[in-house]
C-alpha cells in the first residue's frame, strides 16, 4: 500500500509548490532516510512506502472589531508554563501579538515592541505574544529558538508556541506582526477594539519607529475612552510562495501553514 498526498480542496495555492519525499526504511520504527527534492508531479511511489508532502499557504478569516477573545492554552518555551486566557482576566486590557523570529518586519520593530510593552505593562496592560509559524517551512521559528529569542531580547511578556496553528485561526491572525488589543467591558471574555498597525514605519521606508498607532489605542483603552474604528492594517501587500516554502513578500509575512491530506491507495 502506498500513501499519496492530496491538497485539501478548500486551500488556495499561490503557485506550484515543491513535493518532498520521505522513505520509511522501517515502517514500525519510522526510520527516515535523507530528504531530497522530488518533481512537482505526484506519482504513486514504489516500495518501500513513501510519504508525499506539500507545503501550502492558507489564509484565516480576519478578526473583526467587537469580537471576543477566544480561549487558548499554549506553552511558553522559555519557562515551560502553559498559559490560558484566564491568566489575564484580572487586567483591564489585553494586547495579543502574533510574531515570529524570522520575519524582517518583526525584527524591524522588535526592540521598540519591548520598550512599548514594558511601558504599558507597568500601567496595567496585559501582553502576550504568540508564534504560529510552521517549523516545516521555518525551523528558526521553533520553540527552542523562541526561548532563545525571548531571553536575548528580555521579553517582558510570555512568548507562546501555537504548534497546531489553531489559536492563530481562532484569533483570525494571518500575518506577522499582527496586533490585537482587547478591553474588559464587564463581560467575558475581552472585546476586540483595535486590530491595526504598530505605526507607519517599515523596514525600507526610512520612517522612524514610534509605535504611535498602537500606543494611542492603548492610551484610550486604559483611560476608558473609545478607540476609533478607522484603523490602518498592520501590514498590507502580498507574499510569494517560493520553492523553499512561504517567504516574505513586499510588505507582509504570512503565517505559514502546512496541511496534510493522506490518501491510501493500493
Amino acid at each position: 500500500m502506498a500513501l499519496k498526498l492530496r491538497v485539501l480542496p478548500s486551500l488556495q495555492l499561490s503557485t506550484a509548490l515543491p513535493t518532498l519525499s520521505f522513505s520509511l526504511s522501517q515502517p514500525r520504527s519510522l526510520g527516515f532516510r535523507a530528504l531530497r527534492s522530488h518533481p512537482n508531479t505526484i506519482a504513486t511511489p514504489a516500495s518501500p512506502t513513501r510519504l508525499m508532502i506539500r507545503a501550502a499557504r492558507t489564509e484565516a478569516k480576519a478578526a473583526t472589531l467587537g469580537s471576543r477573545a477566544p480561549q487558548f492554552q499554549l506553552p511558553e518555551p522559555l519557562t515551560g508554563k502553559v498559559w490560558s486566557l484566564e491568566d489575564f482576566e484580572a487586567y483591564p486590557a489585553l494586547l495579543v501579538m502574533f510574531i515570529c523570529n524570522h520575519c524582517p518586519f518583526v525584527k524591524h520593530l522588535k526592540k521598540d515592541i519591548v520598550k512599548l510593552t514594558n511601558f504599558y505593562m507597568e500601567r496595567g496592560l496585559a501582553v502576550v505574544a504568540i508564534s504560529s509559524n510552521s517549523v516545516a517551512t521555518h525551523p528558526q521559528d521553533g520553540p527552542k529558538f523562541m526561548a532563545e529569542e525571548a531571553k536575548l531580547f528580555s521579553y517582558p511578556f510570555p512568548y507562546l508556541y501555537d504548534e497546531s496553528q489553531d489559536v492563530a485561526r481562532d484569533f483570525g491572525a494571518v500575518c506577522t506582526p499582527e496586533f490585537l488589543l482587547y478591553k474588559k467591558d464587564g463581560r467575558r471574555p475581552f472585546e476586540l477594539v483595535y486590530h491595526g498597525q504598530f505605526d507607519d514605519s517599515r523596514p525600507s521606508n526610512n520612517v522612524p519607529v514610534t509605535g504611535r498607532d498602537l500606543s494611542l489605542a492603548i492610551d484610550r483603552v486604559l483611560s476608558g475612552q473609545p478607540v476609533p474604528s478607522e484603523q490602518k492594517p498592520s501590514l498590507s501587500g502580498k507574499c510569494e510562495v517560493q520553492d523553499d516554502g512561504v517567504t516574505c513578500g513586499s510588505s507582509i509575512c504570512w503565517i505559514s501553514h502546512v496541511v496534510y491530506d493522506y490518501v491510501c491507495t493500493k
Side-chain angles (χ1 to χ4, degrees):
M1 183 180 71
L3 287 175
K4 186 171 64 177
L5 178 142
R6 180 180 62 204
V7 178
L8 293 174
S10 61
L11 299 181
Q12 296 180 349
L13 299 182
S14 298
T15 186
L17 296 173
T19 302
L20 305 179
S21 175
F22 293 100
S23 178
L24 305 182
S25 57
Q26 297 179 355
R28 291 185 180 273
S29 62
L30 297 181
F32 293 129
R33 292 181 183 174
L35 187 67
R36 66 179 185 274
S37 299
H38 192 281
N40 281 335
T41 302
I42 299 178
T44 302
S47 181
T49 301
R50 287 194 177 97
L51 175 62
M52 314 300 290
I53 299 178
R54 297 185 75 179
R57 190 195 80 196
T58 63
E59 298 177 15
K61 183 179 180 181
T64 56
L65 297 180
S67 61
R68 298 285 164 174
Q71 300 292 331
F72 64 85
Q73 285 190 328
L74 292 174
E76 181 183 13
L78 180 62
T79 64
K81 177 180 177 179
V82 175
W83 292 77
S84 68
L85 186 64
E86 284 74 18
D87 291 314
F88 306 99
E89 283 293 336
Y91 295 86
L94 170 65
L95 175 63
V96 180
M97 305 181 295
F98 283 86
I99 63 175
C100 65
N101 291 357
H102 88 276
C103 176
F105 301 94
V106 174
K107 290 180 178 180
H108 177 64
L109 300 175
K110 194 170 297 180
K111 292 182 179 179
D112 293 277
I113 287 175
V114 171
K115 291 178 183 177
L116 182 144
T117 52
N118 266 318
F119 179 83
Y120 283 107
M121 288 175 72
E122 293 177 356
R123 287 154 179 78
L125 178 70
V127 181
V128 61
I130 299 172
S131 176
S132 301
N133 258 11
S134 168
V135 295
T137 56
H138 293 96
Q140 65 270 46
D141 290 336
K144 174 186 175 182
F145 300 104
M146 288 175 60
E148 294 176 357
E149 188 92 346
K151 188 174 182 179
L152 177 64
F153 288 91
S154 299
Y155 283 173
F157 45 78
Y159 186 22
L160 312 183
Y161 181 46
D162 176 23
E163 181 178 13
S164 70
Q165 303 177 328
D166 289 339
V167 174
R169 294 185 181 94
D170 290 344
F171 273 92
V174 296
C175 67
T176 57
E178 192 152 355
F179 304 96
L180 300 101
L181 178 63
Y182 294 84
K183 74 171 184 178
K184 184 72 68 64
D185 62 352
R187 296 168 56 194
R188 296 182 63 191
F190 295 92
E191 178 189 3
L192 181 63
V193 294
Y194 181 79
H195 182 203
Q197 67 176 8
F198 193 76
D199 57 27
D200 289 325
S201 183
R202 302 291 184 266
S204 59
N205 67 3
N206 296 320
V207 174
V209 178
T210 63
R212 180 179 183 276
D213 294 61
L214 182 56
S215 62
L216 286 175
I218 297 173
D219 284 336
R220 284 182 170 270
V221 169
L222 294 182
S223 62
Q225 301 178 54
V227 178
S229 58
E230 291 188 10
Q231 302 166 6
K232 294 182 181 180
S234 180
L235 293 169
S236 61
K238 297 190 302 182
C239 76
E240 301 295 334
V241 181
Q242 305 291 347
D243 287 345
D244 58 350
V246 179
T247 62
C248 298
S250 59
S251 57
I252 193 167
C253 288
W254 293 92
I255 293 175
S256 57
H257 298 269
V258 174
V259 181
Y260 308 112
D261 180 23
Y262 306 115
V263 181
C264 294
T265 60
K266 292 184 179 180

